[in-house]
Amino acid sequence: MHLYQYVPTSYHRIIANSPPSKKPFENVLLRQISFLDNLMNYRGRNVVNDVFTTTTNDLPQCPKSLINVMILLHNIMPSVSPLDGFSTGLFSVVLLFSQIQLILFADDDNAVTIMKFFQAASRWSKNHKFFLTSFGVLAGGGSSLIYALEQSIHASNDAAHVAKQKWNHSGWFDTLDHASVRRGWEVYKNVCAACHSIEYLAYREMVGVCLTEDEAKAEAAEQLIDDGPDETGAMFKRPGKLSDLLPKPYPNEEAARYANGGAYPPDLTYITQARIDGENYIFALLTGYMDPPAGVSLAENQHYNPYFPGGAIGMAQALYDEIIEYGDGTPATQSQCAKDVITFLKWCAEPEHDTRKLFAMKAFTILGVLNLVVWYLHRHYWSVLKSRKILQSPKSLFKNESNKSLHYLVLYNNYENQLREH
Amino acid sequence: MSVVKVFYQTVLRRPSRFFVVVAVGSLFFERTIDIGIENVFDRMNRGKQWKDIADKYV
């Protein structure tokens, strides 16, 4: 019986529209063909490259070299278990990469549908295999190297471990506290800006984040910005505009080093990204100044901070209680100033912070809905397979020539009994 | 007729209707998701965003 060739290409329509056949065998075969159709087009891959239906009588005709391992599928009642999704997923991976080349669907009438799989890896060219192997080795080796280097950095660091602070923007969907960003701008402007630049930030970017437009214009206008050349070719100074970047305290690195005893105050635009444990580290550093312990001698212009690698830092303690007065009346303690300026720097480094978290929330919601759809489709497509019982006959059974007859016998009769007798 | 059956007969049965429903539905779906989530997000972060404190400085 060669039913497969009599079934037109649109299996679904036939199965959906035709009344159940009186012969249960035909229903079985139609379901099998529907499953094969699904699997053949599974994710656009040509997983199955040959399908033919036959009876057990015709089996000796099928190419013997292909029969390495078989899976014999019986029709049984659909079963549902929490492991179903996992096992079918595993099964599809096994189909793609394992030794399985044939799947046999058999029912009680001894009719068998055969799916011939190709072994994905055996079809690849030498170059393809070489490329994938090299890629795997390089990726694995590279990752290990990076991991090892990262570990050695920690091992060589004599700095004190920083405490984790509870930043109120650290949750998955928590925005920055913009009142704090505003206070942080006041701290930066009055304290940090004497030595540290934020050279990639423009005044316009603070509008609607921590300043109103008028405030930002006023802040910009207080600064004199280099501009030019004018018609005589000379550079000139003019009051800042919204589009100007924040002015730098020193014209270049050499000037900065000269003014700070050889130490270079780093640019603060991306500083929370540029230090391990960003905000926590900066907080520990700003609030962690202390007298050097006995036996530690510092050079001139150096200060002791246990959170700084080496302990000797060129920057003096900058934040003290009441060092500035906040516009909104918040008590300006040292830790309050540190927290606020770090929140401001966090915004400098990640100006997309709030939008990013909003979109994370949207993405999770929409992907959650899509996940339900995919879950349903998965159940739908695999329901035919999951109503079958899967048995695997060990490869060793068919290794020597004399066992070939057994191989066909297995299909005729009770599979498990045969195994037991053997 | 159950709800599912009505839904199948009126929406899913004909691809032409189905695609119209998808096209129009996606507009409403997107606006609903956008507005709904922005509301939840603003409620979770009440008092922290600039729009919550901007009126103090105008």
Side-chain angles (χ1 to χ4, degrees), chain A residues 19-321:
Chain A
S21 165
K22 290 277 167 14
K23 304 172 186 167
F25 162 65
E26 283 184 12
N27 288 334
V28 165
L29 217 52
L30 280 174
R31 284 215 309 278
Q32 286 164 356
I33 288 165
S34 161
F35 164 71
L36 297 179
D37 187 41
N38 281 333
L39 205 59
M40 275 192 292
N41 296 307
Y42 179 64
R43 295 175 64 192
R45 282 161 187 261
N46 196 9
V47 179
V48 183
N49 65 345
D50 197 6
V51 177
F52 50 97
T53 304
T54 183
T55 63
T56 42
N57 299 330
D58 294 335
L59 260 185
Q61 294 165 10
C62 69
K64 284 175 184 156
S65 62
L66 289 174
I67 308 176
N68 281 345
V69 177
M70 301 185 315
I71 292 186
L72 191 61
L73 301 159
H74 283 280
N75 300 298
I76 57 161
M77 292 297 287
S79 64
V80 180
S81 84
L83 280 176
D84 271 2
F86 177 73
S87 57
T88 45
L90 200 65
F91 183 58
S92 61
V93 172
V94 166
L95 288 184
L96 268 174
F97 291 103
S98 74
Q99 295 290 317
I100 294 167
Q101 293 190 335
L102 284 181
I103 289 190
L104 306 184
F105 298 90
D107 64 9
D108 300 338
D109 295 345
N110 287 338
V112 180
T113 303
I114 302 179
M115 281 161 59
K116 192 179 91 192
F117 283 83
F118 59 80
Q119 294 160 268
S122 71
R123 289 286 179 99
W124 293 342
S125 71
K126 240 181 181 175
N127 282 343
H128 194 170
K129 284 179 187 168
F130 177 75
F131 171 75
L132 280 176
T133 312
S134 323
F135 181 76
V137 169
L138 279 178
S143 320
S144 314
L145 182 67
I146 290 170
Y147 179 74
L149 288 175
E150 185 78 359
Q151 293 308 101
S152 69
I153 287 170
H154 285 304
S156 68
N157 193 343
D158 62 351
H161 288 215
V162 303
K164 304 268 181 232
Q165 309 294 339
K166 287 182 179 170
W167 301 97
N168 67 0
H169 56 256
S170 57
W172 279 23
F173 307 123
D174 289 339
T175 66
L176 293 166
D177 182 357
H178 285 248
S180 183
V181 174
R182 187 184 167 94
R183 289 192 299 269
W185 161 243
E186 292 174 18
V187 176
Y188 168 75
K189 185 176 61 173
N190 293 312
V191 182
C192 318
C195 301
H196 290 276
S197 57
I198 297 191
E199 60 176 315
Y200 302 107
L201 181 69
Y203 286 99
R204 60 177 171 78
E205 293 178 69
M206 286 190 281
V207 175
V209 174
C210 58
L211 298 176
T212 65
E213 190 177 333
D214 292 338
E215 285 169 337
K217 276 180 181 167
E219 299 269 6
E222 285 175 16
Q223 305 292 335
L224 286 178
I225 307 287
D226 278 325
D227 202 353
D230 60 12
E231 60 272 21
T232 67
M235 303 300 279
F236 59 92
K237 300 253 185 195
R238 59 159 174 77
K241 295 185 288 194
L242 273 187
S243 55
D244 286 320
L245 298 171
L246 266 58
K248 296 193 279 186
Y250 305 106
N252 50 52
E253 184 179 335
E254 284 67 25
R257 283 193 189 281
Y258 184 73
N260 289 285
Y264 174 52
D267 184 82
L268 296 185
T269 320
Y270 300 112
I271 200 72
T272 60
Q273 303 270 51
R275 294 290 178 271
I276 292 170
D277 219 352
E279 299 121 284
N280 293 325
Y281 167 73
I282 299 170
F283 187 88
L285 192 79
L286 288 177
T287 57
Y289 281 90
M290 57 185 280
D291 293 332
V296 174
S297 57
L298 297 171
E300 203 187 341
N301 291 331
Q302 283 194 327
H303 309 269
Y304 187 77
N305 193 318
Y307 298 102
F308 190 73
I313 185 170
M315 171 182 162
Q317 180 171 352
L319 297 179
Y320 298 90
D321 290 346

Side-chain angles (χ1 to χ4, degrees), chain A residues 168 173-179 182 208-211 358 361-362 365, chain B residues 29 33-34 37-38 40-41 44-45 47-50 53-54 57-58:
Chain A
N168 67 0
F173 307 123
D174 289 339
T175 66
L176 293 166
D177 182 357
H178 285 248
R182 187 184 167 94
V209 174
C210 58
L211 298 176
L358 172 62
M361 206 172 187
K362 288 180 184 175
T365 311
Chain B
F29 178 75
I33 292 281
D34 269 2
I37 289 177
E38 274 160 27
V40 173
F41 190 77
M44 285 171 66
N45 293 292
K48 287 168 73 183
Q49 299 184 85
W50 175 252
I53 58 171
Y57 306 109
V58 175

Side-chain angles (χ1 to χ4, degrees), chain A residues 341-361:
Chain A
V341 78
I342 289 162
T343 310
F344 173 72
L345 293 174
K346 175 80 174 171
W347 168 76
C348 281
E350 298 166 40
E352 84 295 349
H353 181 276
D354 295 356
T355 319
R356 190 182 71 212
K357 288 183 170 175
L358 172 62
F359 271 79
M361 206 172 187

